[in-house]
Amino acid sequence: MAGTRVTAHGEAAFADEAPSARGESRAWGRFAVFAESLLTGVWIAVASLGVVTYPAAFAAGARHLRRSIAHEGGGLREFLADFRAALRGGWLAGLAGWAALAAVWVDVQAARAGIPGGPLVGAVGVVALIGLVVAGLRAAAVWEPGARWRTLLAQAGRRTVLDPAGSFLLMAGPAVAVVSAWFAAPLVVPVLGAVAAAAVAVEERYRHR
């Protein structure tokens, strides 16, 4: 009987400690993902220096974060392999993004110049650009080797409209990056990783809703 009581007490003590241990494990897991996001931001920033390479950089970064969350390992070597694979069609998406930005800039200048209808055209252009940025992030978040960027962007565009809550959350990412650059340019680097992590989280939420 004494042995039974000891076993019961031991099981009770273990039961009391288990929730705390699980809580610490979850907290450590969240911190690990946060730290990995900051490191991924550095990789994305460096890979985006090619001007038109930013879609591929975000795609490789998002895939790295998905592996990290799934505890599948992977590091810089895998990131570079994904970046090279995503760059095959991703540079065209990057070029199209810069073209869209240039078109919106022209619209905004027309609005400032007082051209009739300019303010409306400028506002529509800005909204369209924000939508393109969100769709691009959502496309990068689900990229896999061999995927076609045109298909990814088309599907991401539909999700951007069908999931306004997730899209609204992703709008905050680029805004934070711009504000960070305004305060101190180096702050943009870790924010890029956080934006990629947010895109992965939004897509995971949409997949399971």
Side-chain angles (χ1 to χ4, degrees):
M1 294 296 292
T4 302
R5 284 194 299 270
V6 170
T7 301
H9 288 314
E11 289 176 350
F14 179 78
D16 289 339
E17 292 175 2
S20 176
R22 287 195 296 268
E24 291 177 0
S25 177
R26 286 194 296 268
W28 175 253
R30 287 192 291 266
F31 176 78
V33 172
F34 174 72
E36 199 67 34
S37 297
L38 299 183
L39 174 62
T40 304
V42 177
W43 295 351
I44 292 174
V46 174
S48 298
L49 293 177
V51 183
V52 296
T53 58
Y54 60 91
F58 270 98
R63 190 160 190 256
H64 169 73
L65 290 174
R66 295 204 308 271
R67 283 196 300 264
S68 179
I69 294 171
H71 305 289
E72 295 177 356
L76 181 59
R77 182 178 298 178
E78 288 77 9
F79 172 86
L80 292 175
D82 286 337
F83 174 69
R84 288 192 293 268
L87 192 59
R88 294 190 184 106
W91 70 271
L92 286 172
L95 184 63
W98 285 115
L101 179 61
V104 171
W105 183 84
V106 171
D107 290 341
V108 171
Q109 296 305 310
R112 288 182 174 180
I115 297 177
L120 177 60
V121 173
V124 171
V126 170
V127 171
L129 180 62
I130 293 173
L132 286 174
V133 171
V134 172
L137 288 172
R138 301 190 77 138
V142 299
W143 175 87
E144 292 285 350
R148 293 173 58 88
W149 277 97
R150 180 179 298 179
T151 302
L152 288 175
L153 289 169
Q155 294 173 346
R158 287 193 290 270
R159 293 194 301 275
T160 299
V161 175
L162 296 175
D163 181 27
S167 299
F168 180 78
L169 289 174
L170 280 182
M171 289 178 191
V176 171
V178 171
V179 172
S180 300
W182 184 70
F183 277 109
L187 291 178
V188 175
V189 174
V191 169
L192 294 177
V195 171
V200 170
V202 165
E203 284 299 306
E204 191 68 12
R205 167 187 167 276
Y206 181 82
R207 190 168 68 90
H208 287 96
R209 71 173 188 172

